[in-house]
Amino acid sequence: MRDPGISVVICVYTEDRWEDILAAVSSVRAQSYPALETLLVVDHNAALLERLAREYETDAEVRVLANAGPRGLSAGRNTGIAASHGEVIAFLDDDAVAERDWLRRFAEGYADPRVMAVGGRTVPVWASGRRPAWFPEEFDWVVGCTYRGLPPGRVRVRNVLGGNASFRRTAFEAAGGFATGIGRDGDRRPLGCEETELCIRLTRVRPDALLLIDDRAVIHHRVPGPRERFAYFRTRTYAEGLSKALVARSVGAGRGLESERRYTTRVLPAGVARGLRDALLARRGGAGRAGAIVAGVLTAASGYVVGRVRARRGGTTFSVVRIEGVRP
């Protein structure tokens, strides 16, 4: 099979991340497997749109465009998909940099025509220079990174993780785009799971589809100081519960919580045991990690309950739309 052309979409929303955005674009330009194009999608920020347009006005490989949908990450991604030309569309967070072979590893995964999505491994770069002692690796998803419990190597998964992921264009033709109303919206409550909902929806309409994670497709994701604090940890886990309730409403609790059951019954108890063992051995942060795992589970569970109640009352909605420019 011929090598696929890959478009890279980076969704941006604030000038506060200016240097991060430039670094993300530079990491795409340095790939050993060249990107077909890089699309910077600006989320309803006219000043940032104008500034980026000036920055890349003479660069034929980078296109800057405005989010054509409602505010938020999902609509920004959908805008990038519609404007892209690649057979494969890859997504990179605006505060992350990709290793040199990132796109090459994605491309290798698509040698099998059944593969509809390939994700990678996201490594945290802590603002303080080191992981907080209390922060459990099992909860690295809180800061948008690969967490302990995911299988190593190139493996089949239920869903990829959105900040380091790619999809075949035909996946969007079959299933539609990212659902709006479920994911991130700038600095508002840190919801998520839009890629989980899309992946489950995709495998419903394409039961033969394979979704992979290849841990050699590596990006490094910056974790700012405020996200190293327990207050953010608590807010993010609660928001994850809200998001999971929306996913369960869309695709059913059976599929929507399939991976989470293994995570909560096997991965997290093992993490608590490790933390308590480290505490008994007087190792730094052991008790804090065990406590954070328990707190994270309880907070996510409370968010899920609240989300289910809101969903039943019709207080929270989201929608899936066909992307303009992508065949239905």
Side-chain angles (χ1 to χ4, degrees), residues 69-84:
R71 185 182 300 274
L73 181 57
S74 290
R77 286 173 173 166
N78 291 342
T79 298
I81 295 164
S84 66

Side-chain angles (χ1 to χ4, degrees), residues 270-325:
V272 171
R274 275 191 298 272
L276 294 176
R277 180 198 62 196
D278 287 349
L280 290 173
L281 296 175
R283 292 173 179 166
R284 181 173 175 265
R289 290 192 297 275
I293 290 173
V294 173
V297 170
L298 294 176
T299 307
S302 66
Y304 181 81
V305 171
V306 171
R308 292 288 284 179
V309 171
R310 289 180 180 174
R312 284 197 298 269
R313 293 176 177 174
T316 306
T317 61
F318 68 97
S319 60
V320 178
V321 296
R322 292 290 175 181
I323 301 172
E324 184 179 350

Side-chain angles (χ1 to χ4, degrees), residues 134-274:
W134 62 269
F135 203 113
E137 293 181 21
E138 292 81 1
F139 276 81
D140 276 5
W141 56 263
V142 165
V143 291
C145 295
T146 301
Y147 56 90
R148 182 193 288 265
L150 288 177
R154 184 196 287 170
V155 294
R156 186 174 184 177
V157 292
R158 180 196 66 180
N159 63 274
V160 296
L161 305 179
N164 179 10
S166 63
F167 291 84
R168 208 183 285 275
R169 178 173 296 277
T170 51
F172 301 111
E173 294 173 2
F178 289 92
T180 59
I182 188 173
R184 294 284 181 123
D185 178 0
D187 290 318
R188 292 175 59 190
R189 176 172 284 162
L191 299 172
C193 293
E194 63 274 20
E195 65 276 359
T196 301
E197 192 276 338
L198 171 62
C199 288
I200 295 173
R201 181 164 23 100
L202 172 60
T203 52
R204 275 186 162 181
V205 298
R206 286 287 304 271
D208 61 329
L210 297 180
L211 283 62
L212 307 176
I213 284 183
D214 187 335
D215 65 5
R216 300 171 300 168
V218 181
I219 69 169
H220 298 264
H221 184 271
R222 188 174 65 83
V223 181
R227 296 190 181 185
E228 296 185 9
R229 300 170 188 161
F230 185 73
Y232 180 80
F233 180 90
R234 186 176 60 240
T235 299
R236 178 67 184 88
T237 52
Y238 179 78
E240 184 73 3
L242 294 175
S243 300
K244 283 292 189 293
L246 282 176
V247 172
R249 179 189 179 196
S250 171
V251 300
R255 294 300 307 278
L257 301 178
E258 181 180 25
S259 296
E260 288 73 16
R261 290 190 182 93
R262 176 188 174 276
Y263 174 72
T264 55
T265 59
R266 296 177 59 183
V267 175
L268 295 185
V272 171
R274 275 191 298 272

